[in-house]
Amino acid sequence: MDIFIKSGVKLVADMDRYKTYRPQKRAGTPLPKRRLRFALAVLLIIAASFLGFIRVLGNNKIDSLPVISEVARAIDPPQEIAPLVLTADQQSAMESQINAAIKARPDMKVGVAVQDLNNRRTYIYGQTQPFIAASVTKIITAAMYLHGAETGRYSLNKKLSFGTAGYELQQMIVVSDNKAWDDLARVLTHKGMTGYMQEMGVTDYDPQQNTLSAGDVALLLGKLYKGELLNRSDTDLLLSYMKESDYSTYIPASVPTGINVYHKAGWLTERVNDAAIIDNGKHPY
């Protein structure tokens, strides 16, 4: 399902083209061998709503705002102003359009969660139960390993099957390497990952079955972006890997140019998932 979110453009659901769709890959990145049959599972959109990414304060005109670089943030800190949040009308319109897109394909199971990172409010639509999350949960593995490295429990220099833990962590996120995922998960253990998620309030995660709800993924990415999982350096590192992540034909393809997108896609033969943080420097989702 494509959900296009652009200034002044309606939310568009165009799911039929995914019946025979294959994701684009980088050179050297393996693609699934079988034709993808998308019974759309967790489509997590931590994205802006139908109105684009920002409504300018004080009027109803939609305008695109420039991305604020980290250098600019350090030199010229933002003024203390009230954060932009969705109005009641925007919330209602977003609900109507997303539900219409879900209703248009009753043959698919769709779960959508949108978290406004300015006020941490989460909006959930469609299926609410845990789905098989595929490679989206590689974010959990990466965050937990980096946290363990911060506390001295693990080391990014630890030798694993085809490189250091730091290198394999990068490969796991950027090119979705499954061998790297397996190597790191063996270090963390299923029990350890379950406990890690429970500490942040996620009780539905099952690492053995690899299941997670859209709302839980929204919670995870919200905490990551707000620096509640890792220190600043490691938060920036993981986000940089997610910004480089392959398979940008999913959520990133629907985002206007010039907007930062940090995402991790995951798919199996019968499902596709994508989880993303979208930030124009003013109103992140």
Side-chain angles (χ1 to χ4, degrees):
M1 175 171 65
D2 272 350
I3 296 187
F4 293 86
I5 308 159
K6 297 183 179 180
S7 297
V9 180
K10 290 183 65 178
L11 187 67
V12 178
D14 179 21
M15 294 176 271
D16 287 329
R17 71 188 182 91
Y18 280 107
K19 290 182 178 179
T20 58
Y21 182 72
R22 288 178 180 271
Q24 299 298 312
K25 75 181 186 73
R26 297 185 180 192
T29 303
L31 283 173
K33 294 182 179 179
R34 293 183 289 175
R35 191 174 185 176
L36 292 177
R37 296 179 295 108
F38 297 110
L40 192 62
V42 188
L43 176 62
L44 170 66
I45 305 173
I46 303 185
S49 68
F50 72 105
L51 287 173
F53 292 88
I54 202 73
R55 182 177 292 275
V56 177
L57 290 173
N59 60 39
N60 291 326
K61 179 181 178 182
I62 299 171
D63 211 348
S64 58
L65 295 178
V67 176
I68 302 175
S69 69
E70 291 303 317
V71 173
R73 290 177 195 272
I75 297 175
D76 186 17
Q79 296 180 352
E80 292 295 330
I81 59 175
L84 297 169
V85 295
L86 292 177
T87 66
D89 287 344
Q90 289 174 322
Q91 293 172 35
S92 178
M94 179 173 68
E95 178 181 3
S96 296
Q97 293 186 30
I98 292 178
N99 282 336
I102 294 172
K103 187 177 180 180
R105 288 306 301 263
D107 56 316
M108 292 183 175
K109 291 183 178 180
V110 183
V112 179
V114 182
Q115 184 175 116
D116 186 335
L117 293 176
N118 277 347
N119 64 3
R120 306 299 289 271
R121 180 169 179 179
T122 301
Y123 307 86
I124 297 177
Y125 310 97
Q127 302 289 324
T128 59
Q129 80 276 12
F131 287 101
I132 295 175
S135 292
V136 167
T137 54
K138 289 174 180 174
I139 300 171
I140 298 173
T141 306
M144 183 179 174
Y145 196 92
L146 286 170
H147 175 68
E150 290 175 3
T151 62
R153 184 173 183 181
Y154 308 124
S155 171
L156 292 176
N157 295 319
K158 179 181 175 63
K159 296 292 185 181
L160 299 177
S161 66
F162 66 91
T164 64
Y167 174 75
E168 291 200 16
L169 189 150
Q170 179 190 38
Q171 295 300 295
M172 177 180 68
I173 298 297
V174 175
V175 299
S176 207
D177 191 291
N178 286 329
K179 178 58 179 171
W181 189 16
D182 184 61
D183 285 348
L184 292 165
R186 287 178 184 275
V187 175
L188 300 175
T189 74
H190 286 170
K191 182 178 179 180
M193 288 189 286
T194 300
Y196 177 70
M197 293 298 284
Q198 287 177 345
E199 287 178 1
M200 70 177 73
V202 175
T203 58
D204 291 331
Y205 175 55
D206 182 344
Q208 188 162 353
Q209 300 299 320
N210 196 29
T211 54
L212 202 62
S213 71
D216 289 339
V217 182
L219 175 66
L220 172 69
L221 292 191
K223 286 182 175 293
L224 170 64
Y225 190 72
K226 289 296 185 178
E228 296 171 8
L229 300 183
L230 301 167
N231 63 32
R232 184 72 263 168
S233 177
D234 285 336
T235 297
D236 289 344
L237 180 68
L238 182 49
L239 289 176
S240 73
Y241 292 161
M242 292 171 67
K243 191 172 184 178
E244 296 177 41
S245 185
D246 275 354
Y247 306 101
S248 58
T249 45
Y250 297 151
I251 289 176
S254 299
V255 179
T257 57
I259 306 296
N260 282 324
V261 182
Y262 313 92
H263 87 122
K264 183 69 195 78
W267 60 90
L268 296 170
T269 55
E270 80 288 0
R271 69 188 69 241
V272 61
N273 315 306
D274 203 2
I277 298 165
I278 298 178
D279 185 9
N280 70 342
K282 196 74 172 180
H283 199 174
Y285 286 79

